[in-house]
Amino acid sequence: MCEARFGHYLLHRLRFPDGLECGQQDMMRWESEYRQIEAQANEFAASLLMPLDDFRRQIDAKAKPALDDLGGCAERYGVSLVAVTLRWLQYTERRSVMVVSRDGFILWARSSPAALRTGVYIKTAGRPPIAVPAQSLAAQSDLLEKSRGQMTHGSDVWFAEPCEEIALASDRYDFTISLLHLERMLRATRFDDAENAEDSFDTMTRRLMGGS
């Protein structure tokens, strides 16, 4: 998108004087240097294309959207489903997690602030590949088509607590998006025993937005 390219120009023109070419497939390589570069440009573009005041009017902070709801916002703002879901996760009050997977393994995941506060996240940076749970909707392509992309899990699938999984397989980019909604609670159990919930994407975004 033009806004992301403009973001690249403002943020990265000194580091890459000959220009930088990256696209949706590069963004999916969440463990690579493209992750930080694309995330910075996409954060800039998101602020221009998806202003939070308008976004909140489309999907309330307390709402539990399906991927169709987020897809409607993607059409409204002219952005990808991944981009619009990341933007929604920034302001939602719900405990939700987006997981992007391919070939049975998690590429990366992103938790809402409410989920992070209760220890619900999946850390992928600097870790061996993590397989998607065998009972998850993302791991069952045939079931994904028959179930219309929605399934409720017990406390033995994604996390040590029940959750609702809404999933969509993208033929265009060959990955699956799972949006996991958890119940409101004071404390949750995280997916793994990672020491730090904040990964490099969080650090980069916080610094970009002027945080300490």
Side-chain angles (χ1 to χ4, degrees):
M1 65 182 68
C2 294
E3 289 78 6
R5 293 194 184 100
F6 185 49
H8 279 308
Y9 173 75
L10 293 179
L11 299 170
H12 308 124
R13 67 185 185 279
L14 297 180
R15 184 178 177 187
F16 300 97
D18 296 327
L20 175 69
E21 294 185 6
C22 49
Q24 184 76 17
Q25 289 290 353
D26 294 320
M27 185 179 177
M28 292 305 105
R29 296 170 55 203
W30 211 241
E31 78 287 351
S32 69
E33 183 182 15
Y34 279 111
R35 169 186 181 176
Q36 299 180 24
I37 295 172
E38 275 297 291
Q40 289 175 351
N42 286 330
E43 180 69 21
F44 177 89
S47 298
L48 291 179
L49 293 174
M50 298 178 281
L52 283 180
D53 57 345
D54 185 73
F55 205 139
R56 289 172 184 271
R57 287 194 289 270
Q58 311 310 311
I59 302 179
D60 187 79
K62 299 181 183 298
K64 184 173 71 172
L67 290 178
D68 286 345
D69 300 318
L70 292 165
C73 287
E75 292 183 5
R76 177 181 179 84
Y77 301 121
V79 299
S80 69
L81 181 60
V82 169
V84 82
T85 305
L86 286 172
R87 189 63 164 166
W88 172 76
L89 285 169
Q90 288 181 334
Y91 76 83
T92 181
E93 297 177 12
R94 299 198 62 87
R95 298 170 61 239
S96 299
V97 182
M98 179 174 68
V99 180
V100 177
S101 60
R102 177 188 290 139
D103 298 329
F105 289 92
I106 297 173
L107 297 176
W108 54 272
R110 180 71 172 162
S111 297
S112 67
L116 280 177
R117 284 194 296 270
T118 54
V120 178
Y121 60 88
I122 302 173
K123 182 176 173 61
T124 58
R127 306 292 297 274
I130 301 174
V132 296
Q135 294 176 289
S136 69
L137 195 52
Q140 306 177 65
S141 57
D142 294 340
L143 189 58
L144 179 57
E145 296 178 0
K146 296 177 182 178
S147 64
R148 297 183 180 179
Q150 186 169 341
M151 179 181 291
T152 300
H153 300 295
S155 57
D156 57 350
V157 180
W158 282 102
F159 304 101
E161 62 174 292
C163 71
E164 179 182 349
E165 179 183 4
I166 304 170
L168 174 69
S170 171
D171 294 331
R172 181 179 181 184
Y173 296 115
D174 189 29
F175 60 80
T176 298
I177 301 173
S178 293
L179 184 57
L180 309 175
H181 292 304
L182 298 95
E183 295 298 325
R184 297 179 182 276
M185 61 184 301
L186 296 178
R187 185 177 181 181
T189 303
R190 58 195 178 191
F191 184 85
D192 61 7
D193 60 352
E195 295 180 357
N196 189 358
E198 184 180 73
D199 58 18
S200 56
F201 177 87
D202 300 302
T203 303
M204 176 280 303
T205 301
R206 180 163 44 79
R207 289 177 179 174
L208 179 63
M209 300 304 292
S212 58

